[in-house]
């Protein structure tokens, strides 16, 4: 975000704070109904916010960005909808349709807000947000399999499990199945196709305004490549970019 001017950077931090707050609700080990009530309280807060009368500090920080960058209420609502999906106790092995809906809500919606803060005006910005959001979230899923399984979560789609002969939806049993590598490679292919779609849409946008998105895209694309090299039989081995790789990506795509 350091490639953005201060006012736009502050707006992104305000959006991030909102995302962090509702994500913490979804991850809380409370009963689902309690988490749903807390998320519904945020739905009410959004109504107050868009009437110019927010009460929560996180919402107050969004007042100026919403007016300055015409941020849409529907995108904030989509984020809450996505967190409500994540808060459910039985969100394991979703259908491909539900997985893509989940990604659109928790990642695509952030992208739709972000491209407006970046200042991009071309309508293709929304295609970038949706495609890149799907690619980034699928990469997160493929990277965090072990951690998610520890929370009783499995985001690998049901269709891919069945395709490779996996009958169980138990996260730990799925991760130990001999076909786990094939399942994850198929999902990685979908992520890479989404990266390609984002690149095509970015070509219609301003290179300058979309720099933050380009940096993020290449960072996550590099993580996906490293995941492919490591494979998915050793999900306890973390995959991260080195400091040098991060600096190179920022210099290559964020500066020059």
């Amino acid at each position: 975000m350091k490639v953005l001017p201060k006012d736009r950077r502050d707006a992104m931090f305000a959006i991030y704070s909102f995302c962090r707050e509702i994500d913490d609700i979804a991850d809380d080990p409370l009963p689902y109904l309690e988490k749903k009530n807390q998320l519904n309280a945020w739905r009410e807060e959004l109504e107050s916010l868009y009437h110019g009368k927010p009460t929560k500090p996180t919402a107050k920080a969004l007042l100026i960005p919403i007016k300055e960058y015409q941020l849409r209420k529907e995108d904030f609502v989509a984020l809450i909808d996505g967190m409500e999906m994540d808060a459910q106790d039985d969100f394991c092995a979703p259908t491909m349709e539900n997985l893509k809906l989940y990604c659109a809500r928790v990642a695509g919606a952030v992208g739709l807000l972000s491209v407006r803060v970046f200042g991009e005006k071309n309508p293709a910005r929304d295609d970038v947000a949706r495609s890149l959001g799907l690619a980034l979230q699928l990469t997160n899923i493929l990277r965090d399999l072990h951690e998610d399984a520890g929370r009783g979560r499995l985001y690998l789609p049901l269709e891919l499990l069945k395709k490779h002969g996996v009958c169980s939806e138990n996260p730990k049993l799925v991760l130990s199945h001999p076909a786990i590598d094939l399942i994850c490679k198929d999902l990685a292919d979908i992520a890479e196709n989404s990266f390609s779609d984002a690149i095509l849409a970015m070509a219609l946008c301003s290179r300058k305004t979309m720099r933050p998105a380009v940096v993020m895209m290449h960072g996550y694309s590099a993580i996906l490549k490293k995941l492919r090299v490591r494979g998915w039989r050793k999900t306890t081995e973390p995959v991260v970019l080195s400091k040098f790789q991060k600096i190179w990506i920022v210099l290559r795509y964020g500066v020059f």
Side-chain angles (χ1 to χ4, degrees):
M1 291 302 110
K2 291 183 179 180
V3 298
L4 290 171
K6 185 179 183 304
D7 56 340
R8 296 183 188 274
R9 191 164 65 246
D10 289 345
M12 287 303 301
F13 282 134
I15 293 171
Y16 172 79
S17 295
F18 169 80
C19 294
R20 183 74 268 166
E21 192 157 332
I22 60 173
D23 185 53
D24 286 345
I25 295 172
D27 287 343
D28 198 297
L30 289 171
Y32 169 66
L33 286 179
E34 289 188 39
K35 292 191 282 189
K36 184 174 181 178
N37 287 338
Q38 290 185 32
L39 291 171
N40 283 339
W42 258 108
R43 296 181 194 278
E44 294 175 5
E45 181 68 13
L46 277 181
E47 292 298 325
S48 299
L49 171 59
Y50 274 84
H51 282 90
K53 298 178 180 179
T55 61
K56 297 178 183 289
T58 306
K60 290 179 180 179
L62 286 166
L63 261 177
I64 293 176
I66 284 172
K67 293 177 181 178
E68 186 71 22
Y69 305 113
Q70 294 81 53
L71 304 183
R72 304 180 304 185
K73 181 173 68 173
E74 65 196 71
D75 295 324
F76 288 106
V77 171
L79 271 162
I80 295 175
D81 290 341
M83 295 305 169
E84 188 169 323
M85 292 175 73
D86 213 12
Q88 296 175 32
D89 297 328
D90 59 350
F91 195 69
C92 275
T95 63
M96 183 67 77
E97 181 181 3
N98 276 345
L99 176 61
K100 288 185 175 180
L101 176 61
Y102 169 73
C103 292
R105 287 173 170 175
V106 301
V110 176
L112 290 167
L113 293 167
S114 299
V115 293
R116 284 158 173 75
V117 174
F118 296 163
E120 181 56 53
K121 302 300 182 184
N122 193 299
R125 65 185 181 180
D126 289 353
D127 294 326
V128 173
R130 295 187 184 98
S131 296
L132 190 55
L134 177 59
L136 298 186
Q137 192 61 27
L138 291 181
T139 301
N140 280 334
I141 287 168
L142 289 165
R143 181 194 61 195
D144 298 338
L145 285 171
H146 177 72
E147 179 184 339
D148 290 335
R151 299 188 301 119
R153 290 284 188 268
L154 180 69
Y155 297 95
L156 299 177
L158 184 62
E159 290 88 341
L160 291 185
L161 299 186
K162 289 183 176 180
K163 174 184 175 182
H164 294 288
V166 179
C167 299
S168 175
E169 295 179 17
N170 179 287
K172 293 183 179 179
L173 291 179
V174 172
L175 295 193
S176 63
H177 195 281
I180 186 62
D181 226 39
L182 296 174
I183 295 167
C184 291
K185 284 177 181 176
D186 281 357
L187 196 61
D189 288 343
I190 296 172
E192 287 195 352
N193 288 337
S194 293
F195 277 125
S196 297
D197 290 341
I199 290 171
L200 290 175
M202 279 181 181
L204 302 174
C205 300
S206 163
R207 180 178 177 181
K208 181 178 179 180
T209 58
M210 295 299 277
R211 273 182 181 174
V214 173
V215 170
M216 187 171 292
M217 179 181 70
H218 285 283
Y220 270 77
S221 181
I223 290 173
L224 186 60
K225 286 182 173 66
K226 293 190 75 169
L227 284 168
R228 282 190 181 276
V229 172
R230 184 208 64 182
W232 285 275
R233 295 185 184 277
K234 301 178 181 179
T235 56
T236 57
E237 292 184 8
V239 170
V240 295
L241 298 182
S242 68
K243 185 176 181 180
F244 172 78
Q245 287 173 308
K246 292 177 182 177
I247 292 172
W248 167 248
I249 288 170
V250 171
L251 290 175
R252 174 66 180 84
Y253 300 104
V255 178
F256 300 109

